[in-house]
Amino acid sequence: MRSFMSPGKRIRCFRLKRGMTQKALGIAVGFPVNTADIRIAQYESDTRTPKHSLLCALAQVLDVPVSALEIPHIKSRDEFEHLLQALEDEYRLTVTITEPRD
């Protein structure tokens, strides 16, 4: 069963949206140049699970809230919209929110 909700899938989604390579993202969060792409590939493939501190660093580089990379515990409309954006990007869906924002 495919888990599109995993942090690894979210990292990949936002990395691609930013036009970054795995190596560039890995270097940006402080991994050594010679292993940066391998480390990011391990997280994106769910071979490894990033600790919260790494999720925070990745979120900062990717310019998203850390909640956008975590398994969702949706607490606000903004968090829900980030989740919908990720789903749109990954599955080429079109989501329309018809309810007015407060």
Side-chain angles (χ1 to χ4, degrees):
M1 183 172 156
R2 184 172 169 191
S3 174
F4 64 88
M5 302 298 257
S6 73
K9 302 267 188 281
R10 292 165 183 278
I11 292 165
R12 182 178 190 279
C13 176
F14 286 111
R15 176 181 63 77
L16 292 174
K17 188 173 183 176
R18 300 290 182 265
M20 295 181 80
T21 63
Q22 289 176 328
K23 188 172 212 76
L25 179 57
I27 292 168
V29 297
F31 294 143
V33 173
N34 60 332
T35 60
D37 54 341
I38 295 166
R39 291 286 299 275
I40 297 300
Q42 290 172 332
Y43 293 117
E44 289 184 359
S45 67
D46 298 321
T47 303
R48 296 180 74 159
T49 302
K51 293 182 180 178
H52 184 73
S53 59
L54 178 56
L55 279 179
C56 291
L58 289 164
Q60 184 175 11
V61 170
L62 295 170
D63 194 29
V64 296
V66 72
S67 61
L69 300 180
E70 296 175 318
I71 294 174
H73 302 286
I74 301 169
K75 299 173 189 156
S76 71
R77 184 182 181 100
D78 285 339
E79 288 182 43
F80 180 65
E81 288 178 2
H82 281 288
L83 173 59
L84 289 177
Q85 181 71 44
L87 291 171
E88 285 180 337
D89 292 345
E90 185 166 348
Y91 295 103
R92 300 186 191 270
L93 301 172
T94 301
V95 177
T96 304
I97 300 174
T98 58
E99 182 179 311
R101 275 191 92 141
D102 293 346

